[in-house]
Amino acid sequence: MGMHEKQDVARPWFDVADAAPLLLDAQGVVTSWTRDAERLLAYTAAEVVGTTVTGLLSAEDAARVPELGEQCRRNGGWAGLLTARRKDGRPVRVMVRITPAMEPGGAAHWLVLLCDMSGARGWDMSRAVLEQMVTDSPVGIAIVDTDLRCVWSNAALEQFGGGPPRERLGRRLAQIQPGIDAASIETQMRYVLATGRPVVGYEHLGRVRSTPLRETAYMMSFTRLEDDRGHPMGVYYTVVDITERHRARQRLALLDRAGEQIGRTLDIVRTAQELADVAVQDFADFVCVDLLDSVLRGAEPEPEPGPLYGTGEVPLRRAGHQSVNPGVPEAVVGIGQVAAYLGGSPPVRCLTTGSSWREERLDPLGEEWAADIPGGRRATFLERGLHSVMIVPVRARGVTLGVTSFFRRRRQEPFDADDLSLAEDLVSRAAVCVDNARRYTRERDAALVLQRSLLPRRLPEQDAVEVAACYRPADELTGLGGDWYDLIQLSGARVALVVGEVPGHGIDAAADMGRLRTAVRTLAALDLPPEEVLAHLDDVVARTVREEGQRSSAAQDVGARAVGPGCVYVVYDPVDGQCTMAAADHPAPVVVLPDSTVVRVDVPQGPPLGVGGPPFESVELALAEGSTLALHTDGLLAHRDGGGTDDDTDRDRLRTALARPASSLELRCRDVVDALVPDRPRDDVVLLMARTRLLGADRVADWDLPADPAMVADARKEAARQLDEWGLEELAFTTELIVSELVTNAMRHAQGPIQLRLIRNRSLICEVSDGGATAPHLRHPRTTDEGGRGLLLVSQVTERWGTRFVPDGKVIWAEQNLTEPPA
């Protein structure tokens, strides 16, 4: 029964023995009806004979009868599928064959054979038709036996190499195509033979005899052939060339990688290297990226000077290169070095014309285009092993930034037009990134110039404190923020230490910071106490806010406290070790004592600058020599992993970091910031550390003077004697003049006790203090005036002079440079 069913399934679907015949006359009228036709359509002969055939067909096919009749007369018959209509109205799909039939007497009739196609797979194909299909098919087709030897192939398979069908007979695939991976293909065939399961869509990549230099891709499908008993007879397989589709996928994959891997930073050299790295992945064997030196500097790209088509050299700079060989042996110059090309060479032509250039086969004996080769000799392309090249200009926004050269060495397939198009796409994407990096470099350089102008490039040298500072902005692109620090030299060998913070980040905050820092330095020059400096600074900020129409609070809408700049101002006197400080909504300084004990100073906190509030207050304390003041912004403690704030925890973290020993104050400052702040902080960070010094008694001398004009001469003598002890005899004349004028001025115009003090620092400082509250003024007397020239003379023989007010009076001071005495 099983055998019978198999034979039944395998039988042709149009068998004349099974067909139901009938006859039609020339007009399509049924003239003869058989029992087979009656069984198929359920009509009796009496019901059909004499009627037209259209009554037996569906309405759609009945309308086609005139057309089919014309085809029969023109072609001598017709075959195809029609839908007949049974007597009960049920449609029946039938295969119809119409052939001419001649009766005696010459009357024209048509013999019609009907075959029920219910459950059939389709139209029965004769052997000739099947052979025509497989032989003329554009798809490569072959059959192998169970030993995997070729027993049949069509002509289309010749396009893949291996010779015509007769040369394939009896041979295994490895003999037909020696260059391909025959083992992997035959593995698929054996699997199909063993399991009977077809393998569809198997992709194979390799080189065939027809294109030995070009890697090709094929889609193959395998089906087992069986005999009537179901035993395997061999494998039928098809081959379709999908090389173009495979290469398209490769190109898309390469462009996807380029989009992911090129331009991840705003660094020009790194972007160029990323282009080279991507391009050697399944595309080129050696890639080098050479850019104009002006591009690497961030300047507008301009062609370098030099003859472009003459015999001179055109210098570019190697920004990136990569090779499939370790160590990039093909490279003549290193990253960052000058790659000089001969004028008129292809790289120079591409640079000047902005057009790409491709050479499928380089002249093996041709010399490379680069100049300044190590050893003084240019190698040939044969010696370098390079055989195919493309050069693509790096262009962005209509401007050429450099050139990218692609070489093949290991891959034997030369670059073609599609490869050039892909290279241009790669370089085009990279060029935009390079130009963005160039523009960023230019803007960053401008920002750094601004930063250097706003922040102290180098803290001034002085003897009051040893100082170190660390600045880490939150805006990593510009390197700018609203935090700042400063060290300002005051009179009397004192210094002011300042750390402040402006809300926000970037250039806007930096500009606000610059204005505030300038105001602080201006107020510091007045030698005011810290609380008065902050009070005046508060007025400056408030006036600026009013003039610019800004809101004094950035958080009023949400009910938060007012937001404004913060600042801490500290004055340290190395003569007596006294330190005075005041703060405006800013973290208080921390003191590290000489024994490494960390103490936080309790400074009265004033309101933010410019928002109004109670007056500022200061606190004064004495510091032992070797104590370290640590002034910082709140960003130093705003970066804990858990988020939020915890004052006690913050103090503990800062205390631990400050207590760690270090070989130098600068290293200690940097270690503290590294311990508390990530590389990319969320807020700007400033830490200013100052280790205190004291000026010994051998460097300070003072005298109390009675208010007697006769004591002016004694004051001059004491000053001259002190200069002799210090070895500063060359300053005796000018110092006596300064002492005479300042002491005389105090005795004439002031009141209370008078004191003379000399300080030997980096300069010689002369101070005269009194109990008066009026400041002297420099006058320019007329030639007939008898007085008023004292301070004018002092200003001429000193480096600087001025007045500062103290709680019990004022101090007039003058400084002389010890390194370059005034002429």
Side-chain angles (χ1 to χ4, degrees):
M1 180 64 180
M3 181 67 70
H4 173 73
E5 290 179 351
K6 190 167 186 66
Q7 291 174 348
D8 182 64
V9 171
R11 69 177 176 84
W13 281 103
F14 199 105
D15 194 334
V16 175
D18 296 332
L22 63 146
L23 286 176
L24 302 178
D25 63 12
Q27 285 73 38
V29 176
V30 179
T31 60
S32 176
W33 188 256
T34 64
R35 291 185 178 275
D36 290 331
E38 183 176 345
R39 283 195 301 270
L40 179 60
L41 300 179
Y43 291 102
T44 63
E47 293 172 320
V48 175
V49 173
T51 64
T52 61
V53 73
T54 55
L56 302 175
L57 300 175
S58 66
E60 180 181 357
D61 286 345
R64 297 174 56 198
V65 167
E67 176 189 349
L68 297 179
E70 180 62 30
Q71 291 186 27
C72 288
R73 285 188 290 272
R74 185 171 60 250
N75 301 324
W78 180 84
L81 291 172
L82 294 175
T83 301
R85 186 166 49 84
R86 287 173 56 90
K87 184 177 180 179
D88 58 7
R90 180 169 60 88
V92 179
R93 196 69 170 164
V94 293
M95 175 66 71
V96 180
R97 287 187 180 178
I98 305 174
T99 58
M102 300 298 295
E103 285 189 350
H109 281 76
W110 298 98
L111 174 62
V112 180
L113 299 177
L114 305 178
C115 184
D116 187 0
M117 299 299 292
S118 301
R121 290 176 295 182
W123 187 10
D124 175 41
M125 298 293 181
S126 66
R127 177 183 178 90
V129 173
L130 293 174
E131 288 182 351
Q132 180 182 357
M133 289 173 56
V134 296
T135 301
D136 297 340
S137 171
V139 176
I141 303 174
I143 299 175
V144 298
D145 59 17
T146 54
D147 293 328
L148 306 185
R149 297 184 181 278
C150 181
V151 298
W152 181 88
S153 63
N154 68 348
L157 206 57
E158 292 185 46
Q159 64 182 303
F160 306 113
R166 64 179 179 277
E167 295 182 7
R168 295 172 173 268
L169 293 177
R171 304 173 70 187
R172 295 275 293 273
L173 192 56
Q175 298 171 308
I176 298 172
Q177 292 281 9
I180 67 172
D181 184 7
S184 64
I185 297 176
E186 289 188 346
T187 298
Q188 302 298 321
M189 295 179 181
R190 291 191 179 94
Y191 170 81
V192 172
L193 283 172
T195 64
R197 298 188 184 94
V199 173
V200 179
Y202 172 76
E203 292 191 17
H204 181 269
L205 189 64
R207 288 180 171 83
V208 296
R209 291 171 60 180
S210 59
T211 55
L213 297 182
R214 184 173 183 240
E215 194 173 55
T216 51
Y218 304 99
M219 178 83 72
M220 305 181 71
S221 296
F222 306 89
T223 305
R224 188 171 77 175
L225 298 177
E226 302 172 352
D227 60 17
D228 291 343
R229 294 179 177 82
H231 298 156
M233 299 170 53
V235 174
Y236 162 88
Y237 69 89
T238 60
V239 183
V240 178
D241 189 341
I242 60 168
T243 301
E244 293 305 319
R245 185 171 66 182
H246 173 74
R247 297 187 70 184
R249 286 204 307 262
Q250 283 186 316
R251 287 192 288 269
L252 289 176
L254 184 58
L255 291 175
D256 285 343
R257 286 199 303 270
E260 295 173 357
Q261 300 178 21
I262 298 176
R264 291 175 292 183
T265 65
L266 287 174
D267 183 272
I268 298 176
V269 173
R270 185 169 178 180
T271 301
Q273 186 60 47
E274 288 168 347
L275 169 60
D277 292 341
V278 168
V280 296
Q281 300 181 39
D282 303 324
F283 185 59
D285 295 328
F286 170 54
V287 178
C288 58
V289 183
D290 300 313
L291 301 176
L292 294 169
D293 195 52
S294 57
V295 173
L296 292 170
R297 296 196 308 269
E300 288 298 325
E302 298 176 357
E304 297 293 335
L308 297 183
Y309 292 97
T311 58
E313 299 173 0
V314 177
L316 298 176
R317 195 167 293 276
R318 179 63 48 86
H321 58 214
Q322 189 55 275
S323 171
V324 294
N325 300 302
V328 196
E330 303 89 346
V332 176
V333 298
I335 303 297
Q337 295 180 348
V338 172
Y341 290 100
L342 298 175
S345 62
V348 174
R349 290 201 301 270
C350 292
L351 178 68
T352 56
T353 64
S355 301
S356 302
W357 179 79
R358 174 175 62 94
E359 188 70 25
E360 290 189 3
R361 289 297 172 188
L362 287 166
D363 179 4
L365 300 181
E367 292 183 336
E368 56 192 355
W369 310 300
D372 296 333
I373 304 300
R377 176 183 174 274
R378 294 197 303 273
T380 64
F381 292 115
L382 179 62
E383 291 171 326
R384 296 286 181 193
L386 307 174
H387 64 84
S388 188
V389 63
M390 296 184 299
I391 302 178
V392 179
V394 181
R395 289 179 60 82
R397 300 177 177 90
V399 178
T400 302
L401 312 176
V403 294
T404 302
S405 302
F406 302 82
F407 293 91
R408 278 190 175 161
R409 177 179 181 177
R410 187 177 62 186
R411 294 175 177 85
Q412 295 303 309
E413 181 181 351
F415 288 118
D416 58 19
D418 290 339
D419 292 326
L420 181 60
S421 176
L422 176 58
E424 290 175 337
D425 285 343
L426 283 176
V427 175
S428 176
R429 295 188 180 201
V432 174
C433 298
V434 168
D435 194 52
N436 288 338
R438 177 192 65 80
R439 289 167 176 256
Y440 161 72
T441 299
R442 182 183 62 190
E443 298 301 326
R444 177 174 172 79
D445 288 345
L448 291 177
V449 171
L450 176 62
Q451 180 191 42
R452 286 193 293 267
S453 66
L454 297 179
L455 294 177
R457 187 177 305 181
R458 187 177 62 180
L459 295 174
E461 296 181 359
Q462 35 71 45
D463 291 335
V465 292
E466 177 190 357
V467 67
C470 184
Y471 172 72
R472 186 168 294 175
D475 190 339
E476 63 172 348
L477 294 182
T478 63
L480 291 176
D483 293 10
W484 92 93
Y485 62 92
D486 211 344
L487 184 147
I488 306 170
Q489 291 179 288
L490 304 177
S491 63
R494 299 169 305 131
V495 293
L497 303 170
V498 190
V499 168
E501 181 173 8
V502 172
H505 311 293
I507 292 181
D508 291 339
D512 292 339
M513 174 266 287
R515 290 189 296 185
L516 198 57
R517 176 173 176 258
T518 300
V520 170
R521 294 184 70 87
T522 302
L523 293 170
L526 300 177
D527 255 331
L528 300 174
E531 68 275 13
E532 293 188 28
V533 171
L534 294 184
H536 286 292
L537 198 60
D538 180 70
D539 293 339
V540 170
V541 175
R543 183 168 58 252
T544 302
V545 170
R546 289 194 300 270
E547 290 175 353
E548 296 184 357
Q550 299 175 352
R551 296 168 57 187
S552 60
S553 172
Q556 288 180 351
D557 290 344
V558 294
R561 67 175 177 83
V563 176
C567 181
V568 60
Y569 189 91
V570 179
V571 175
Y572 175 69
D573 189 343
V575 175
D576 55 10
Q578 291 297 311
C579 182
T580 307
M581 57 187 72
D585 190 40
H586 197 279
V590 177
V591 178
V592 183
L593 300 178
D595 62 358
S596 297
T597 302
V598 181
V599 179
R600 192 170 191 88
V601 183
D602 186 12
V603 180
Q605 284 293 327
L609 298 173
V611 301
F616 298 98
E617 300 180 37
S618 64
V619 64
E620 185 172 352
L621 66 156
L623 296 178
E625 185 174 13
S627 300
T628 301
L629 277 165
L631 287 69
H632 64 89
T633 57
D634 56 8
L636 185 67
L637 301 176
H639 306 282
R640 288 187 291 113
D641 294 338
T645 59
D646 186 330
D647 291 343
D648 293 336
T649 302
D650 289 344
R651 293 192 186 100
D652 291 341
R653 294 170 61 239
L654 180 59
R655 185 180 299 110
T656 301
L658 288 172
R660 293 170 183 162
S663 58
S664 67
L665 186 64
E666 183 176 354
L667 183 60
R668 189 179 194 180
C669 184
R670 188 166 59 249
D671 288 346
V672 171
V673 174
D674 289 341
L676 300 179
V677 181
D679 292 335
R680 299 178 62 181
R682 297 189 299 271
D683 193 11
D684 303 324
V685 176
V686 161
L687 174 62
L688 177 66
M689 299 185 73
R691 183 179 293 139
T692 62
R693 300 183 180 121
L694 285 177
L695 299 180
D698 59 334
R699 300 176 64 180
V700 181
D702 55 62
W703 301 271
D704 293 326
L705 303 176
D708 182 358
M711 296 302 298
V712 175
D714 293 338
R716 289 198 301 268
K717 293 178 182 178
E718 291 296 330
R721 183 184 57 80
Q722 185 63 53
L723 292 183
D724 287 341
E725 291 183 8
W726 286 343
L728 301 176
E729 298 87 351
E730 70 276 6
L731 296 180
F733 176 77
T734 56
T735 303
E736 289 185 43
L737 174 62
I738 294 169
V739 169
S740 177
E741 295 297 336
L742 295 185
V743 172
T744 300
N745 190 68
M747 290 184 176
R748 288 181 177 178
H749 305 290
Q751 59 185 1
I754 299 174
Q755 185 182 60
L756 169 64
R757 184 167 72 167
L758 294 180
I759 302 173
R760 180 171 61 86
N761 195 23
R762 293 176 182 266
S763 61
L764 178 62
I765 303 171
C766 178
E767 294 183 342
V768 175
S769 59
D770 59 55
T774 59
H777 297 283
L778 181 67
R779 297 192 304 168
H780 295 276
R782 293 170 297 182
T783 57
T784 57
D785 291 343
E786 296 182 359
R789 295 179 176 83
L791 288 180
L792 179 61
L793 291 174
V794 170
S795 68
Q796 296 298 313
V797 299
T798 59
E799 183 179 2
R800 61 181 189 142
W801 73 279
T803 304
R804 70 173 182 271
F805 291 92
V806 293
D808 53 357
K810 68 176 182 297
V811 177
I812 303 176
W813 54 270
E815 292 185 8
Q816 299 178 75
N817 196 324
L818 293 182
T819 57
E820 297 179 4

